[in-house]
Amino acid sequence: MSSTTSADIGAAAPGGTGLPPAPPSSPALRRFSINPRQSGIYVAFVLIVVLFSVLTDGALLTPQNISNIIVQNSYILVLAIGMILIIIAGHIDLSAGSVVAVTGALSAVLMVNLEVPWPLAVLITLVAGALVGAWQGFWVAYFGIPAFIVTLAGMLLFRALTLTVLGNQGIGPFPDPIRTLSNGFTEGYLGNIGLGPLGGADLLSLLVGLAVVAGYAFTQWRQRAGRLGYGQIVDPMPIFVLKIVVAAVVVMAVVVQLARFRNLPWVLVLLAVLVLGYTLLTTRSVFGRHIYAIGGNLSAATLSGVKVKSVTFWIFVNMGVLAALAGVIFAGRLNQAGPTAGTNFELDAIAAAFIGGAAVQGGVGKVVGAITGGLIMAVINNGMSLIGAPSERVMLVKGLVLLAAVAYDIWTKRRAASATR
C-alpha cells in the first residue's frame, strides 16, 4: 500500500503547484473580485441613484429631499428589519400593515382619548405588538399552521379590529414628543461650521457621521485581523482600504447634506440603533445563527439541537414589536391614527427584504441589505414623483424591480450550483 505525501496532493489538485497546502495559520490574500449575489444590490442602488439624479437635474440629492426620503420611509425600514428575520427563517408575514394600523390606533386611544403619559402609552403599545406577535407565533411555531395562512388571517383580523376601534374617524393630535420622533430633527447643540461653497452645516451631525465612519473602519479592521489570524482569505490591503474609503465617502456625503438642512432626523438615529443592534444579533449571537440555520436547512437544524419552535415563536414576537413601533412612528408623522393606516406596508417590507438579497427559500439575507432594498424602493418612489410620473407607472417600475431582484437571486444561485459541479 503506497503512501501519499502532501506534495503529491498539491500536485494532483487542479491548478496545483506541487507545493504542500498552506498551514491554517498562514494568511491568504485573494485577488480583487465582486460577489454578484452579495454586492449586486449595492451596485444597483448606486446606479438607480445616479439615474434619478440625472433625470431630476440633481433634485434627488438636495439636502431637503434626502431628508424627506428618510423621514417618509422610516416606518417601512423599521418593518423591513423585522421582515428580513422572518424571511431568513423561511416564513412570511402578511399582517404587518394591519398590525401597524391597530397598534397606531391603540396608541392614539391611550395618548389622546385617555390622556395616558406618552412614555407609558408607547410602552403599552409595544407590549401589545409583542402579544400580537406571540399570538401569530404560537400558531406558526407550536400548532404548525403555515405562516402564510396565519398572517393572512391576522391581516384581516387586525384590520377589522382597527376599524372597530376607529370606525371611519381618525384620532389625534399626538403629543409633541411623538411628533418630534416621527418628523423632528436633532438640535444644533454645537452650532454650525462653515463648509466653504456648501455653506454652513451642523457640527454635531458631522461629528456623529465621523464617529460612524470610524466605528465602521475599526470593526472591519478587526474582522480582517481575525481572519488573517485564522489563515482565512481576505482582500489585499489596497482593496480593503478602498472599500472603507468608498463607504466613508457615501456616509459622509449623506450626513453633510442632512447637516446642511435641519440636522439629523430623529428617526434616522432610531434606525441606526436598530440596524446596529439587529446586525449584531444576526451575525454575532447564537440566536441569530439559529435563524439562518432554520431557514437554510430545517431538518439539519432540528437534528443539531436548534430549538426551532422557540426561535420561530420569538421572531414573530419581534415582528410584532417592530410593527408596533412603526405604527407609533407613522401615526406620529400624520399626527393622527386613521383606519387606512398601514395599507400595503407589508408588501413594501417584503419587497425591501427580497430586493435587499433575501432568498425565497430562506437562509439568506442581511439587515443592511433589507435597509438598502427599502431605500431603493424609496428612491424609486421619490424620483418618479419628482419627474411627475403617474402612480400606475410607479407601481409598474416597482413591480419590475422586485421581479428582477428575485430573478437575479435565482440566477446567481443556479450559476453557483453549476460552477461547483
Side-chain angles (χ1 to χ4, degrees), residues 31-412:
R31 295 179 180 178
F32 174 70
S33 62
I34 295 179
N35 186 327
R37 189 171 183 181
Q38 295 180 358
S39 304
I41 180 63
Y42 305 108
V43 174
F45 181 50
V46 172
L47 293 178
I48 289 173
V49 170
V50 171
L51 173 63
F52 280 107
S53 297
V54 173
L55 293 177
T56 61
D57 295 327
L60 180 78
L61 296 180
T62 59
Q64 181 176 355
N65 196 61
I66 292 177
S67 180
N68 289 339
I69 291 175
I70 295 172
V71 173
Q72 292 173 1
N73 296 275
S74 56
Y75 35 89
I76 298 298
L77 299 180
V78 171
L79 288 177
I81 294 174
M83 192 65 72
I84 190 69
L85 301 187
I86 298 283
I87 292 175
I88 290 172
H91 299 290
I92 201 73
D93 187 353
L94 300 178
S95 67
S98 296
V99 177
V100 167
V102 73
T103 52
L106 174 61
S107 67
V109 170
L110 292 172
M111 287 185 241
V112 180
N113 292 355
L114 302 180
E115 298 183 352
V116 176
W118 72 266
L120 179 59
V122 170
L123 178 61
I124 295 174
T125 302
L126 296 181
V127 171
L131 293 175
V132 168
W135 163 265
Q136 301 193 119
F138 167 78
W139 293 109
V140 175
Y142 295 103
F143 209 79
I145 302 177
F148 180 89
I149 301 300
V150 172
T151 57
L152 178 60
M155 179 178 67
L156 302 174
L157 174 64
F158 300 121
R159 181 63 63 181
L161 188 57
T162 303
L163 295 174
T164 301
V165 173
L166 297 179
N168 293 323
Q169 298 180 347
I171 299 179
F174 276 74
D176 289 340
I178 300 299
R179 295 203 302 270
T180 299
L181 171 64
S182 304
N183 298 308
F185 299 82
T186 57
E187 298 290 339
Y189 299 107
L190 302 179
N192 283 11
I193 183 173
L195 295 178
L198 296 178
D202 177 52
L203 178 58
L204 178 60
S205 299
L206 298 178
L207 292 177
V208 170
L210 291 174
V212 170
V213 169
Y216 173 76
F218 177 72
T219 55
Q220 293 300 306
W221 180 270
R222 285 194 59 183
Q223 288 181 10
R224 187 177 191 275
R227 290 174 180 172
L228 285 173
Y230 285 103
Q232 297 179 355
I233 296 177
V234 297
D235 290 321
M237 181 58 72
I239 302 302
F240 172 75
V241 173
L242 177 62
K243 288 183 176 180
I244 292 180
V245 170
V246 170
V249 169
V250 172
V251 171
M252 289 307 301
V254 174
V255 170
V256 167
Q257 292 293 74
L258 293 175
R260 293 175 58 206
F261 179 53
R262 295 178 60 186
N263 308 338
L264 299 178
W266 277 113
V267 288
L268 177 60
V269 177
L270 175 62
L271 277 170
V273 173
L274 291 175
V275 170
L276 176 61
Y278 279 92
T279 299
L280 293 176
L281 174 71
T282 54
T283 60
R284 300 297 180 88
S285 72
V286 174
F287 182 80
R289 296 181 188 278
H290 285 177
I291 296 174
Y292 282 97
I294 292 171
N297 192 321
L298 179 60
S299 299
T302 303
L303 294 174
S304 300
V306 175
K307 297 179 180 179
V308 175
K309 294 181 179 179
S310 176
V311 173
T312 302
F313 174 80
W314 285 109
I315 60 175
F316 276 95
V317 172
N318 173 75
M319 185 73 242
V321 173
L322 290 179
L325 178 59
V328 173
I329 293 174
F330 184 70
R333 171 166 174 74
L334 298 183
N335 202 22
Q336 73 168 3
T340 60
T343 302
N344 293 332
F345 282 12
E346 65 280 344
L347 301 183
D348 287 337
I350 292 170
F354 283 127
I355 292 174
V360 178
Q361 297 84 357
V364 177
K366 292 183 178 180
V367 172
V368 175
I371 294 297
T372 305
L375 290 175
I376 286 178
M377 301 290 281
V379 169
I380 291 174
N381 279 331
N382 183 267
M384 297 198 73
S385 175
L386 290 175
I387 64 177
S391 59
E392 62 271 17
R393 193 176 302 170
V394 176
M395 290 188 288
L396 173 66
V397 172
K398 289 168 65 177
L400 291 175
V401 169
L402 175 58
L403 180 62
V406 176
Y408 180 77
D409 171 71
I410 294 175
W411 175 75
T412 54

